[in-house]
Amino acid sequence: MIKIAVLVSGSGSNLQALIDAKLSGQIVGVLSNRPDAYALERAKQAGIKTALVEHKQYPSREAFDDVMHQQLLDWGVNLVVLAGFMRILSEKFVKAWEGKMLNIHPSLLPYYKGMHTHQRVINTGDVYHGCTVHYVTAELDAGQALAQGILSVKRTDTVETLANRVHELEHLVYPQVVEWICTGAVQHLEDGSVLYRNSLLTEPVQFCKL
């Protein structure tokens, strides 16, 4: 069984979606860098182990990441899921978990890497927006995409309404991709490619919500 750790910094709505999905794998731990993250309470309510590693307590990003890395090893983790974890990870940490670490980004990558994606979509007048689940690599938001949730941008959308709609889509797409990995439907190969249902992915799987 795949053992999953979820890294969080905030309320943990994507964590809740993963818990509610009753995955084939087991969420063995939830780690946060913030003591006030409500995600820790969600984990406790679900009977999941938690760990608090406050980044402010460490002299460098690498030192902080080393402590996180050791905690993940102690939990026997096979898959790391970033769910609103608001820290840039060191290259050493990313390399250690490459092919075993996922993130969900609120845009249709490769468009709008980085921050403020909803505002940028509105500014540009895009017709479509969404989210992308991808493997984490040292280059920001550049790892292999596994799935994208797509929605139509409404004329009446604001940054807030668009963010809320994308967030709802994340709760559908993220658990599905994690479940694929838990069941072996998606596999990360040594050469960096992704095997999905016996065929190499050239494009991420797409989910649409109009």
Side-chain angles (χ1 to χ4, degrees):
M1 179 183 287
I2 296 292
K3 293 184 178 181
I4 304 162
V6 184
L7 274 53
V8 296
S9 295
S11 69
S13 62
N14 269 315
L15 167 64
Q16 191 65 56
L18 293 167
I19 293 171
D20 294 344
K22 301 188 185 305
L23 301 166
S24 299
Q26 180 186 7
I27 301 175
V28 297
V30 172
L31 185 152
S32 178
N33 64 312
R34 294 177 58 94
D36 58 348
Y38 185 68
L40 294 173
E41 181 60 31
R42 294 182 190 270
K44 291 173 184 176
Q45 291 176 4
I48 300 170
K49 293 180 180 178
T50 62
L52 174 62
V53 184
E54 295 186 69
H55 60 275
K56 294 180 181 179
Q57 302 297 321
Y58 297 90
S60 67
R61 182 179 299 162
E62 289 74 16
F64 168 72
D65 285 359
D66 285 346
V67 175
M68 283 203 306
H69 177 71
Q70 187 57 55
Q71 179 62 73
L72 298 177
L73 293 179
D74 291 346
W75 282 337
V77 168
N78 310 110
L79 178 66
V80 179
V81 177
L82 305 182
F85 187 67
M86 304 304 291
R87 296 292 298 168
I88 295 175
L89 300 167
S90 65
E91 184 174 354
K92 177 184 176 182
F93 184 89
V94 171
K95 288 291 185 183
W97 294 97
E98 193 163 345
K100 301 176 184 177
M101 183 159 54
L102 299 177
N103 186 40
I104 188 162
H105 182 72
S107 80
L108 298 175
L109 292 174
Y111 300 104
Y112 308 119
K113 297 178 181 180
M115 304 289 286
H116 310 300
T117 60
H118 313 303
Q119 184 66 66
R120 291 156 71 188
V121 164
I122 288 175
N123 290 348
T124 308
D126 289 2
V127 176
Y128 298 107
H129 188 32
C131 56
T132 305
V133 179
H134 62 94
Y135 280 114
V136 178
T137 60
E139 184 180 350
L140 181 66
D141 300 328
Q144 170 69 54
L146 300 177
Q148 291 186 315
I150 303 172
L151 53 76
S152 298
V153 180
K154 300 177 181 178
R155 292 183 179 180
T156 55
D157 268 323
T158 64
V159 171
E160 183 178 11
T161 62
L162 197 53
N164 289 338
R165 294 176 63 214
V166 170
H167 219 175
E168 290 179 7
L169 198 53
E170 291 178 8
H171 299 162
L172 299 175
V173 178
Y174 217 177
Q176 181 60 76
V177 176
V178 174
E179 178 66 6
W180 285 340
I181 293 175
C182 289
T183 61
V186 168
Q187 297 177 347
H188 187 273
L189 304 182
E190 290 184 2
D191 64 0
S193 61
V194 175
L195 187 68
Y196 171 67
R197 292 182 180 171
N198 300 319
S199 63
L200 288 177
L201 267 178
T202 56
E203 297 289 340
V205 177
Q206 294 182 334
F207 299 81
C208 294
K209 185 177 182 182
L210 300 178

